[in-house]
Amino acid sequence: MVNQISTKTFSVNGKTYAPPAAPVVVICIDGSADEYLDTTMAFDRLPNLKKMTQQGYRGMVRGALPSFTNVNNSSIVTGVTPAVHGISGNFFYDAAKDAEVMMNSADYLRADTILAAASAAGRKVAVVTAKEKLRDILSHKMEGIAISAEKANQAKQETHGIDGVEAIVGHPTPAIYSADASLFVLRAGVAFIENGLADFLYLSLTDYMQHTYAPEAEASLAFYEAMDAEIGKLLALGAVVGATADHGMNAKVKTDGSPNVLFVEDMLEAQFGAGGFRVICPITDPYVKHHGALGSYVVVHLEDQAKTDEVRKWLSIQPGITEVYDRATAVHVLEQPEDRIGDLVVLSGRDVVVGRKPKYHDLSALDGTLRSHGGRYEEMVPMVLSHPLNSAYTMKAAGDPRNFDIFDFTINGTN
Amino acid sequence: MVNQISTKTFSVNGKTYAPPAAPVVVICIDGSADEYLDTTMAFDRLPNLKKMTQQGYRGMVRGALPSFTNVNNSSIVTGVTPAVHGISGNFFYDAAKDAEVMMNSADYLRADTILAAASAAGRKVAVVTAKEKLRDILSHKMEGIAISAEKANQAKQETHGIDGVEAIVGHPTPAIYSADASLFVLRAGVAFIENGLADFLYLSLTDYMQHTYAPEAEASLAFYEAMDAEIGKLLALGAVVGATADHGMNAKVKTDGSPNVLFVEDMLEAQFGAGGFRVICPITDPYVKHHGALGSYVVVHLEDQAKTDEVRKWLSIQPGITEVYDRATAVHVLEQPEDRIGDLVVLSGRDVVVGRKPKYHDLSALDGTLRSHGGRYEEMVPMVLSHPLNSAYTMKAAGDPRNFDIFDFTINGTN
């Protein structure tokens, strides 16, 4: 592999990146609560992540809220908060249009991406995402390869920057509800570096496995072991690797194992009367086997704005609810875009999800007990780096590092 | 060692405990953020905690707030929240007496302890704490041994339930600002079981090392390795061991390494005028090398109660402040005793501490950079159990288990 790798410095969203002459690989292990690393490592099934911990760095970083996939993927590829990039979930309610609007499109992205800037600076960029839904945002204005595992066999040079993905990767397009959906992403990364097709990669996995299995389940242990093997290949290819997660994952169940749900619109109607509330669950997406549109974060729109503080106060002390903010406060405390949240923003506990009404949530498609995310208890996630931190970034890692600093840490922070 | 170990069931604070015929040892690794286990285990220096993870259980549990030592130790030995046991910090402001009152005394404890109930049920109970300040609360109404490492050489049969501690343990009374202060606690536990002096033990360490060293520091790695060796001896003696922490630990520093402090009383006076505010830092204690009375939790008393909501709103959106509650809400959301908090309760971020005014905080005695706790980002802590969970407690561990369920998990939850 003889490639000239560009080390040209580039800037985006107020940060400057000085990439090394080695392949740079940032991995978002979707839904990877730290417990998955803890448990799999204790069983000696993460030799490469263990080596990265020994030789590089492992610590905790704080994600963006809500702790959802597209919010945090948008933050990771832009390096900024949702207040800046504008993606606050999969859906928001546009009051002017009286419509619930899906945000899985770069049209809603308000910041440029590190990937586009890297490609403009001469890096061979590849973004591989498990779910097709993320591809548009992640590849915004970018030159290079942009594919999803879900639709790998539909990738074409004109639209995706590559032909014949399955042959190059050596694996067929995986089922989306599978461990392979994530493993394909990593395998594609390995193949693209091996073939000189990319030297600056963002590999974004899917959390089907974490939604379905607890860390100690054999299926999860085997999945993490297989991921680790691919990470080992990236390291062997000389890549500088940084891995983090978009959000954690917790069982959202009562002690009998049944889903622990607060239907917020029903609760509000029972307390304050029907008709005045619209609850939006911004976790809602087309992938039905993950969470049934139930996470630990919803927003509430009130017909009667004068009631906002009364409703806030009442919701704040309901068991299972952990935080409630009015719009102005949420902008500050939760780093939200003011026009894409609700009059109130509601977070729930480690074992609690918040929903709208039962009819909006179908849990029959789940493959396991309800495990989900979205709130404060899925905010903290691991960061693992292949190379040791330099002194400035050792300080930064000791303060309040963010998961969306992962490109910064991987590129600028390591020796 | 031929001892008849009582398996008599006992109940306290609404929970029933059915102890096994083996020594039961609960360890509170003071200030042990999960990162300490992650890093030390990655360097293969925690063989016994690794074995416990493989053969028993490792997961995360939620502590009591504020994430302080005596609050959580009180919760652990009673099995209940601060709202029930009444210990909400080291200090509270008693408005009726216009005095700041220290709570390091069982006089302030409003619940009975598991340790006292176990001793009444015939177990040979020993409590060993690193810091003398905790001994009174932990040994409340208890028959058996109750000593501190700090004053081990002052222990007497009449007052402490034991004579000649140093000879029995085989180590001298340690300096309180040392790794040995915690190791002595574990060594005492080992010696007491070996000598048939105890079969139901609570071993509560001190967080001087965690305040002083980050997880990757050699001093910390060596400390955890030495702790692990003592835990191995407890396991070899056939003990059922459960370990958790009272709180986590984070660097509270700016990117230049200097302390990242918000002096809340100064902030309030600058915004609202002097004289109307009293900020209490309930982390304040006599051990000066730990944190300079700076943690991520303070309470505020207002002269003019009518201003409460205005002040709450303003404080809520100050950078570095993460949560602000009025008294009634804090009782619910933070599980606090209403009469021992402030008109407002204030929490700060992962890298931020809150203080009163500079003159109340002396950081010159610190042995390292400022590392502290008290807020939400030190709430989640590890729980490691030597034996596998039974099915009911597997469910419980998957929901929202608490660090103060550790006696319940260790006694009732394992097979």
Side-chain angles (χ1 to χ4, degrees):
Chain A
M1 191 179 65
V2 183
N3 281 293
Q4 194 67 30
I5 296 183
S6 169
T7 57
K8 195 173 155 194
T9 289
F10 59 89
S11 294
V12 56
N13 301 324
K15 278 186 203 156
T16 299
Y17 300 84
V24 168
V25 182
V26 167
I27 304 169
C28 176
I29 310 177
D30 193 350
S32 193
D34 198 49
E35 292 94 314
Y36 286 97
L37 302 187
D38 294 345
T39 302
T40 319
M41 210 176 284
F43 283 96
D44 292 321
R45 293 171 74 167
L46 290 180
N48 293 295
L49 282 165
K50 182 176 174 179
K51 192 168 71 177
M52 285 172 69
T53 304
Q54 290 175 354
Q55 299 177 358
Y57 178 81
R58 176 178 170 191
M60 298 298 287
V61 290
R62 185 162 66 92
L65 287 170
S67 46
F68 293 148
T69 294
N70 67 340
V71 173
N72 277 276
N73 270 273
S74 301
S75 281
I76 288 170
V77 298
T78 58
V80 296
T81 68
V84 180
H85 65 60
I87 306 293
S88 59
N90 291 325
F91 278 92
F92 76 102
Y93 173 67
D94 186 330
K97 294 181 184 164
D98 187 25
E100 296 182 21
V101 179
M102 200 167 177
M103 276 183 280
N104 286 340
S105 153
D107 296 346
Y108 294 94
L109 192 65
R110 292 169 173 165
D112 290 328
T113 75
I114 297 164
L115 302 169
S119 70
R123 296 292 290 216
K124 289 186 181 172
V125 179
V127 51
V128 187
T129 158
K131 288 180 178 173
E132 177 68 17
K133 74 166 182 181
L134 270 176
R135 206 175 65 86
D136 192 52
I137 287 177
L138 299 184
S139 63
H140 184 51
K141 294 189 194 170
M142 189 198 99
E143 297 289 316
I145 299 169
I147 63 166
S148 72
E150 185 179 3
K151 300 196 174 178
N153 55 2
Q154 298 176 27
K156 289 191 170 55
Q157 182 66 43
E158 311 85 83
T159 47
H160 298 70
I162 190 166
D163 279 316
V165 166
E166 290 185 338
I168 293 168
V169 178
H171 288 270
T173 299
I176 189 64
Y177 300 121
S178 70
D180 275 341
S182 288
L183 295 174
F184 186 94
V185 174
L186 295 170
R187 289 168 181 151
V190 171
F192 293 168
I193 298 176
E194 277 177 339
N195 289 283
L197 296 170
D199 58 38
F200 194 101
L201 297 88
Y202 180 53
L203 307 177
S204 184
L205 314 185
T206 176
D207 58 2
Y208 168 74
M209 295 298 286
Q210 290 88 348
H211 272 291
T212 307
Y213 299 104
E216 57 274 14
E218 173 54 31
S220 176
L221 296 169
F223 171 57
Y224 271 81
E225 187 173 29
M227 283 200 286
D228 186 80
E230 299 304 319
I231 291 170
K233 293 176 194 167
L234 295 168
L235 297 172
L237 288 164
V240 179
V241 177
T244 188
D246 49 353
H247 55 76
M249 186 72 70
N250 281 304
K252 304 288 183 177
V253 292
K254 300 177 189 167
T255 49
D256 65 0
S258 64
N260 196 6
V261 190
L262 298 175
F263 293 104
V264 175
E265 201 166 297
D266 277 352
M267 288 166 64
L268 292 172
E269 291 187 351
Q271 176 69 16
F272 297 99
F277 305 97
R278 179 194 293 267
V279 170
I280 302 284
C281 305
I283 195 176
T284 308
D285 78 5
Y287 301 88
V288 295
K289 282 182 175 287
H290 289 233
H291 46 60
L294 289 166
S296 294
Y297 180 101
V298 295
V299 304
V300 183
H301 295 267
L302 283 77
E303 204 166 283
D304 181 1
Q305 304 278 322
K307 275 191 184 159
T308 305
D309 207 54
E310 184 190 354
V311 174
R312 181 193 63 76
K313 273 188 154 160
W314 183 81
L315 266 181
S316 293
I317 58 171
Q318 300 312 304
I321 300 293
T322 50
E323 295 170 71
V324 186
Y325 300 104
D326 60 29
R327 189 185 296 264
T329 308
V331 165
H332 285 277
V333 177
L334 304 177
E335 309 173 316
Q336 293 303 296
E338 189 171 8
D339 56 332
R340 292 187 185 162
I341 53 175
D343 300 312
L344 292 173
V345 176
V346 181
L347 286 78
S348 61
R350 187 185 182 201
D351 58 340
V352 182
V353 284
V354 273
R356 189 170 185 180
K357 292 168 174 281
K359 69 176 176 182
Y360 294 107
H361 304 279
D362 177 12
L363 291 173
S364 65
L366 294 190
D367 280 338
T369 53
L370 180 62
R371 299 174 58 79
S372 195
H373 54 90
R376 189 69 75 176
Y377 291 94
E378 297 83 31
E379 183 191 26
M380 298 303 297
V381 291
M383 175 172 78
V384 189
L385 301 168
S386 59
H387 289 62
L389 291 173
N390 56 40
S391 63
Y393 280 75
T394 298
M395 278 301 183
K396 186 169 178 170
D400 186 26
R402 309 298 299 265
N403 68 343
F404 55 80
D405 294 329
I406 184 72
F407 273 102
D408 185 24
F409 272 101
T410 307
I411 294 173
N412 298 321
T414 61
N415 285 313
Chain B
M1 189 178 66
V2 183
N3 279 293
Q4 194 68 30
I5 296 183
S6 169
T7 56
K8 194 174 156 193
T9 290
F10 59 89
S11 295
V12 55
N13 301 323
K15 277 185 204 157
T16 298
Y17 300 84
V24 168
V25 182
V26 167
I27 304 169
C28 177
I29 311 177
D30 194 350
S32 192
D34 198 50
E35 291 95 315
Y36 287 97
L37 301 187
D38 293 346
T39 302
T40 319
M41 211 176 283
F43 283 96
D44 292 321
R45 292 171 74 167
L46 289 181
N48 293 297
L49 283 164
K50 182 175 173 180
K51 192 167 72 176
M52 286 172 69
T53 304
Q54 290 175 355
Q55 299 176 358
Y57 178 81
R58 176 178 171 193
M60 298 299 287
V61 290
R62 184 161 67 92
L65 289 169
S67 45
F68 292 149
T69 294
N70 67 342
V71 174
N72 277 275
N73 270 272
S74 300
S75 282
I76 287 170
V77 297
T78 59
V80 295
T81 69
V84 179
H85 67 60
I87 306 294
S88 58
N90 291 324
F91 278 92
F92 76 102
Y93 173 67
D94 187 330
K97 293 181 185 161
D98 188 25
E100 296 181 20
V101 179
M102 198 166 179
M103 277 181 278
N104 287 341
S105 153
D107 296 345
Y108 293 94
L109 191 65
R110 294 170 172 164
D112 290 328
T113 76
I114 297 163
L115 302 168
S119 70
R123 296 291 292 216
K124 288 186 180 173
V125 178
V127 52
V128 187
T129 159
K131 288 179 178 174
E132 176 68 17
K133 74 165 181 180
L134 270 175
R135 205 175 65 85
D136 192 51
I137 287 177
L138 299 184
S139 63
H140 183 52
K141 294 189 193 170
M142 190 198 97
E143 296 291 316
I145 298 169
I147 64 166
S148 72
E150 185 178 6
K151 300 198 173 177
N153 56 1
Q154 297 177 29
K156 288 193 171 57
Q157 181 67 42
E158 312 84 83
T159 46
H160 298 69
I162 191 166
D163 279 317
V165 166
E166 289 185 336
I168 292 168
V169 178
H171 289 270
T173 298
I176 190 63
Y177 300 120
S178 71
D180 275 341
S182 289
L183 296 174
F184 187 93
V185 175
L186 295 171
R187 289 167 181 151
V190 172
F192 293 169
I193 297 176
E194 278 176 341
N195 289 283
L197 296 170
D199 57 39
F200 194 103
L201 297 87
Y202 180 53
L203 308 177
S204 184
L205 313 185
T206 175
D207 58 2
Y208 168 74
M209 295 298 285
Q210 290 88 347
H211 273 291
T212 307
Y213 299 104
E216 56 274 15
E218 173 54 31
S220 176
L221 295 169
F223 171 56
Y224 271 81
E225 187 173 29
M227 282 200 285
D228 186 81
E230 298 305 320
I231 290 170
K233 293 177 195 167
L234 295 169
L235 297 173
L237 288 164
V240 179
V241 177
T244 189
D246 49 352
H247 55 75
M249 186 72 71
N250 282 302
K252 304 288 184 178
V253 292
K254 301 175 190 168
T255 49
D256 65 358
S258 65
N260 196 6
V261 190
L262 298 176
F263 293 105
V264 174
E265 200 165 298
D266 278 353
M267 288 167 63
L268 292 172
E269 291 185 349
Q271 176 69 16
F272 298 99
F277 304 98
R278 178 192 293 266
V279 169
I280 301 287
C281 304
I283 195 175
T284 308
D285 79 6
Y287 301 89
V288 295
K289 282 182 175 285
H290 289 232
H291 46 62
L294 289 166
S296 293
Y297 180 103
V298 295
V299 303
V300 183
H301 295 266
L302 283 77
E303 203 166 285
D304 181 0
Q305 303 279 321
K307 275 191 185 161
T308 305
D309 207 55
E310 184 189 356
V311 175
R312 180 192 64 75
K313 273 187 153 161
W314 182 81
L315 266 180
S316 293
I317 58 170
Q318 299 312 305
I321 301 291
T322 49
E323 294 169 72
V324 187
Y325 300 104
D326 60 28
R327 189 185 295 264
T329 308
V331 166
H332 285 276
V333 177
L334 304 177
E335 308 172 317
Q336 293 303 297
E338 187 170 8
D339 56 331
R340 292 187 185 162
I341 54 175
D343 300 312
L344 292 173
V345 176
V346 181
L347 286 80
S348 61
R350 187 183 181 201
D351 58 339
V352 181
V353 284
V354 273
R356 187 170 186 177
K357 291 166 173 283
K359 69 176 176 182
Y360 294 107
H361 304 280
D362 178 12
L363 291 173
S364 65
L366 295 190
D367 280 339
T369 54
L370 180 60
R371 298 174 58 79
S372 194
H373 53 92
R376 189 69 74 175
Y377 291 95
E378 296 84 30
E379 181 192 29
M380 297 303 297
V381 291
M383 175 173 78
V384 190
L385 301 169
S386 59
H387 288 62
L389 291 174
N390 55 40
S391 62
Y393 280 75
T394 298
M395 278 303 183
K396 186 170 178 169
D400 186 26
R402 309 298 299 267
N403 68 343
F404 55 79
D405 295 329
I406 184 72
F407 274 103
D408 185 24
F409 272 102
T410 308
I411 293 172
N412 299 321
T414 61
N415 286 313

